[in-house]
Amino acid sequence: MTGTEKTGAEGPPPKYTLCSLWTEFSLTTGIHGFNKISPSGRISYRGLLWILAISGATAFLIYNLVKEFGDYYSYPTATKVTNKVQSSIEFPAVTICNRCPLNKTRLNVNPHIESYFQTSSLLKRFNKQGTFNFTDSRYSDLRQPLSLDWWTNMSMDGSSLLHECYFGGDNIDCATHFQPVFTDEGLCHTFNFNVSDIVNVNNAGNAANFIIIYNIAQRYYTYRENMAAGIKVLLHNPRHHPDANPTVVMAAPGFSTYVAMHKSEYVYLPDPYMAFDDTTCVDTTSTTFVNPLKHYSPYTYDHCFMECVQIKAFNVCGCVGPADPQPDVPICSLEKQDTCYTAFVREMTKNITFEAECGCGIQCRFETFTAQVSSSVFPADIWSASLLNTTKAENSEFLRNNFLELRVFYDRMMVTSTKQHPQYSQSTLFSNVGGQMGLCLGASILTITEITELLVFIIFYLCDRCRGRKARNRINNW
């Protein structure tokens, strides 16, 4: 009950109106400036100035709140890069591909095979040769579908080319620790690939990780698309196919090649956040995620695009390459591979429109390996006699032309982590909103409760009037 009400012998209480309700609210609210407006109902110049001040502050508050909520729902992000020293780091898969994966002596069982490879190689650019004439009746066998066994039998024997293998300072059996895998290069051999027990390293340095001595066997080389001698080294995630965006290093015979690696990890936020400019990423760690790929696991952008190209190539050419994982489908003949499959795949990988049609999204978590490469002559003269004895090489010249040493290692036990964070969290939003309310009107969360209470009392007042009842002072009588 307020001092403006009179009861009992002094007569009936005055009529209670919305103005009375507003007066009660303005005198008791915690919002700054409302009590400066004349509560008597008569607006003075001072009250008018305070109305303008409160209106301006309220408009400024609304503007800032709209901007604040707009910023929050635009889902801005911040990226943090840190270097983490680790006691153990997962070692990548190391895929070794001879620059000529085919064995000339094995191809000689078909007298036309080498002629085909010579014509389809880079040599035709120098000799100005045309395309191979597959319609010639002498080459009918080149039009027959092939098999994985055929490609395996025609390829270099990886187990015989890996002369010595070491990991973690220990000598390991090359044959059991490397597995054959078909890639775009042909039949390659991979260490630490898709195994149940992926190896880790606890030390960095060129003597602590991976070392091999490899014989490229140049005497068995035949004509291919490249003219180089040596090996192509693919560094990649042990769970991913070697063709899925590896780090590539070349190593030449007669040299000891050192590959100092550094691992980087990337973690981006899933939808609704934009991970890559205006593109969202695929959250493969979500409990609701289901891998949409038929032939590759786990899901990655590169696996997705590879499968998309391979399926499209099969639909166009009716066959697949030896590196394609599609089961129960024919592998292309040399004619189909030359005239359809290889040309189609090369064209599609450069086609931006086709890339968009595949609809492949980049996964939110991935890793990369950067490599610094250095080399020196191999072997040193003092080691030639010893290696001639163990490798059964014919002479020092043969040794220098065919053998190489490769060392792959982490330069330090450190991983660079790039992680995306929300720039606005809910607590940040509430703090900013509270700060704006306090700055503009001196308001708080309790002020919202006061305004809500006022609205409730206005509703009660209107209900009393609609029912024909006398409005009551509910603020002080509740």
Side-chain angles (χ1 to χ4, degrees):
M1 184 180 296
T2 66
T4 60
E5 297 182 7
K6 296 181 181 181
T7 61
E10 298 180 9
K15 184 178 180 180
Y16 193 74
T17 64
L18 281 177
C19 184
S20 304
L21 186 59
W22 172 257
T23 300
E24 295 286 351
F25 173 76
S26 64
L27 292 175
T28 58
T29 183
I31 303 178
H32 294 179
F34 274 50
N35 59 349
K36 302 297 190 297
I37 302 173
S38 301
S40 61
R42 189 185 63 182
I43 303 299
S44 62
Y45 287 114
R46 179 172 180 261
L48 183 61
L49 291 175
W50 275 103
I51 290 176
L52 293 176
I54 293 173
S55 299
T58 302
F60 184 64
L61 172 62
I62 292 173
Y63 169 80
N64 286 336
L65 291 183
V66 170
K67 186 175 182 302
E68 198 71 41
F69 278 96
D71 290 342
Y72 177 77
Y73 284 105
S74 67
Y75 301 105
T77 60
T79 303
K80 182 178 181 181
V81 180
T82 57
N83 290 316
K84 301 181 295 184
V85 176
Q86 297 186 355
S87 59
S88 177
I89 305 178
E90 182 179 276
F91 200 74
V94 182
T95 297
I96 308 297
C97 300
N98 202 317
R99 297 304 286 144
C100 179
L102 297 177
N103 188 321
K104 178 180 179 179
T105 60
R106 297 182 177 185
L107 295 174
N108 286 340
V109 296
N110 186 320
H112 308 304
I113 294 285
E114 188 169 15
S115 175
Y116 158 72
F117 282 121
Q118 179 179 359
T119 304
S120 61
S121 70
L122 290 180
L123 190 62
K124 63 184 179 183
R125 298 184 183 180
F126 299 97
N127 295 340
K128 307 298 182 181
Q129 298 176 358
T131 58
F132 193 81
N133 183 15
F134 288 101
T135 60
D136 192 317
S137 59
R138 294 175 299 171
Y139 307 139
S140 60
D141 51 343
L142 303 185
R143 298 194 293 271
Q144 300 301 315
L146 301 178
S147 65
L148 281 181
D149 289 338
W150 185 90
W151 281 104
T152 301
N153 293 335
M154 295 299 108
S155 300
M156 295 279 194
D157 183 4
S159 60
S160 64
L161 302 182
L162 288 159
H163 179 67
E164 292 284 345
C165 302
Y166 300 87
F167 187 78
D170 299 324
N171 185 277
I172 61 175
D173 180 36
C174 300
T176 58
H177 285 81
F178 280 81
Q179 58 176 296
V181 56
F182 279 98
T183 72
D184 290 341
E185 293 291 317
L187 183 61
C188 303
H189 294 80
T190 305
F191 170 79
N192 195 35
F193 173 54
N194 204 21
V195 293
S196 57
D197 187 18
I198 295 173
V199 298
N200 286 25
V201 293
N202 302 318
N203 297 289
N206 64 77
N209 295 172
F210 176 85
I211 305 173
I212 63 168
I213 296 177
Y214 190 90
N215 175 16
I216 67 170
Q218 281 204 68
R219 66 172 65 182
Y220 302 136
Y221 270 36
T222 187
Y223 296 103
R224 294 294 287 161
E225 291 185 358
N226 72 82
M227 296 182 176
I231 60 174
K232 185 176 184 178
V233 184
L234 312 177
L235 308 176
H236 54 96
N237 186 304
R239 302 161 192 83
H240 300 173
H241 191 276
D243 287 331
N245 194 29
T247 298
V248 179
V249 174
M250 300 295 183
F255 289 90
S256 177
T257 303
Y258 282 47
V259 182
M261 299 182 299
H262 184 82
K263 183 177 180 179
S264 298
E265 298 175 337
Y266 299 85
V267 181
Y268 291 92
L269 295 171
D271 185 59
Y273 296 95
M274 295 296 163
F276 312 103
D277 193 13
D278 58 348
T279 307
T280 59
C281 62
V282 179
D283 186 9
T284 57
T285 61
S286 171
T287 56
T288 60
F289 175 77
V290 177
N291 184 7
L293 305 182
K294 298 179 180 179
H295 309 299
Y296 288 100
S297 183
Y299 176 90
T300 69
Y301 168 82
D302 298 291
H303 281 169
C304 176
F305 186 67
M306 287 164 56
E307 180 171 290
C308 182
V309 171
Q310 291 162 1
I311 291 176
K312 184 67 174 178
F314 172 72
N315 293 337
V316 172
C317 302
C319 58
V320 299
D324 294 4
Q326 302 180 59
D328 304 323
V329 294
I331 294 179
C332 293
S333 64
L334 293 178
E335 178 198 21
K336 276 284 189 180
Q337 180 172 291
D338 187 83
T339 60
C340 182
Y341 185 86
T342 302
F344 179 84
V345 171
R346 185 181 293 114
E347 181 64 28
M348 289 302 100
T349 53
K350 299 185 296 183
N351 191 322
I352 299 177
T353 303
F354 177 77
E355 185 175 355
E357 291 175 359
C358 289
C360 297
I362 302 176
Q363 67 274 22
C364 293
R365 294 171 176 264
F366 58 91
E367 60 190 30
T368 62
F369 300 93
T370 56
Q372 292 183 330
V373 182
S374 56
S375 62
S376 58
V377 172
F378 174 84
D381 290 341
I382 195 172
W383 286 101
S384 292
S386 176
L387 283 174
L388 283 172
N389 182 50
T390 59
T391 62
K392 308 302 181 184
E394 299 172 0
N395 49 51
S396 296
E397 181 182 3
F398 181 90
L399 191 66
R400 290 271 171 87
N401 288 336
N402 290 275
F403 283 83
L404 61 87
E405 181 188 48
L406 173 70
R407 296 182 179 231
V408 181
F409 56 93
Y410 283 115
D411 57 352
R412 63 195 70 179
M413 295 299 291
M414 182 181 294
V415 175
T416 299
S417 175
T418 302
K419 193 170 184 179
Q420 194 179 46
H421 299 273
Q423 190 171 334
Y424 276 92
S425 62
Q426 288 186 350
S427 58
T428 304
L429 176 66
F430 289 147
S431 297
N432 290 351
V433 169
Q436 295 290 350
M437 291 172 61
L439 174 66
C440 296
L441 297 175
S444 65
I445 294 178
L446 292 180
T447 305
I448 299 176
T449 305
E450 289 181 335
I451 296 174
T452 303
E453 183 186 56
L454 173 64
L455 295 176
V456 170
F457 288 144
I458 290 176
I459 293 172
F460 284 159
Y461 172 86
L462 295 176
C463 289
D464 288 341
R465 295 296 302 268
C466 289
R467 294 176 181 177
R469 298 164 55 184
K470 181 183 293 187
R472 294 171 289 169
N473 182 350
R474 297 180 182 269
I475 292 181
N476 290 330
N477 291 338
W478 271 35

